[in-house]
């Protein structure tokens, strides 16, 4: 097995983790939110926060590293148009993801506090959820666009 093949495998695997974890997190958060059950939301958002740190954060760190070494191994200049646009989109996705991580922590805390007080979810939770939900669309579209660029490698 060559270094290039290992790098390709790691890079594609990281992309799959980013896409899959993002889709899974979104699905489970939305399904929990729909119940409006603070106890369930507190539990699911706790799992989501953990998954984001274990899977998403590790893939976020590994993607540029494997991408850099893969480009060097294959001979693609980093100034290649599709690579530049992938990096621009990667930064954009990160600009949405970082606040989303904070929102998930905050929504979890608000849900736990509601459970502890025996109260309904506060207005702040619902406001954060709407923002969290809205941030998911450009972030997910960005990841899909990056995947397309990686596969098609168009001349830009």
């Amino acid at each position: 097995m060559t270094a290039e093949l290992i790098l390709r495998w790691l890079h594609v695997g990281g992309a799959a983790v980013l896409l899959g974890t993002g889709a899974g997190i979104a699905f489970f958060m939305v399904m929990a939110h729909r119940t409006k059950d603070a106890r369930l939301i507190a539990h699911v958002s706790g799992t989501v926060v953990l998954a984001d740190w274990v899977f998403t954060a590790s893939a976020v760190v590994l993607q540029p590293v494997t991408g850099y070494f893969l480009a060097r191994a294959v001979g693609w200049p980093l100034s290649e148009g599709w690579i530049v646009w992938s990096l621009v989109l990667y930064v954009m996705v990160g600009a949405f993801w970082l606040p989303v991580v904070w929102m998930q922590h905050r929504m979890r805390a608000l849900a736990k506090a509601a459970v502890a007080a025996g109260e309904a979810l506060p207005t702040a939770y619902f406001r954060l959820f709407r923002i969290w939900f809205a941030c998911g669309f450009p972030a997910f579209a960005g990841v899909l666009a990056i995947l397309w660029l990686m596969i098609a490698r168009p001349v830009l």
Side-chain angles (χ1 to χ4, degrees), residues 25-101:
I25 282 171
F27 176 78
F28 289 112
M29 279 294 285
V30 168
M31 296 308 288
H33 171 79
R34 289 178 50 166
T35 70
K36 302 205 180 355
D37 178 345
R39 187 174 307 280
L40 180 63
I41 291 168
H43 174 74
V44 170
S45 60
T47 302
V48 160
V49 165
L50 178 63
D52 238 351
W53 285 115
V54 171
F55 298 107
T56 310
S58 59
V60 162
V61 170
L62 286 175
Q63 281 307 98
V65 173
T66 58
Y68 171 77
F69 286 111
L70 179 59
R72 285 192 54 183
V74 174
W76 294 322
L78 295 180
S79 60
E80 192 78 41
W82 67 271
I83 294 176
V84 170
W85 276 106
S86 294
L87 293 170
V88 167
L89 287 168
Y90 196 76
V91 170
M92 186 233 20
V93 168
F96 281 99
W97 177 69
L98 289 172
V100 159
V101 171

Side-chain angles (χ1 to χ4, degrees), residues 92 96 132-143:
M92 186 233 20
F96 281 99
W132 175 89
F133 189 79
C135 286
F137 287 99
F140 198 70
V143 171

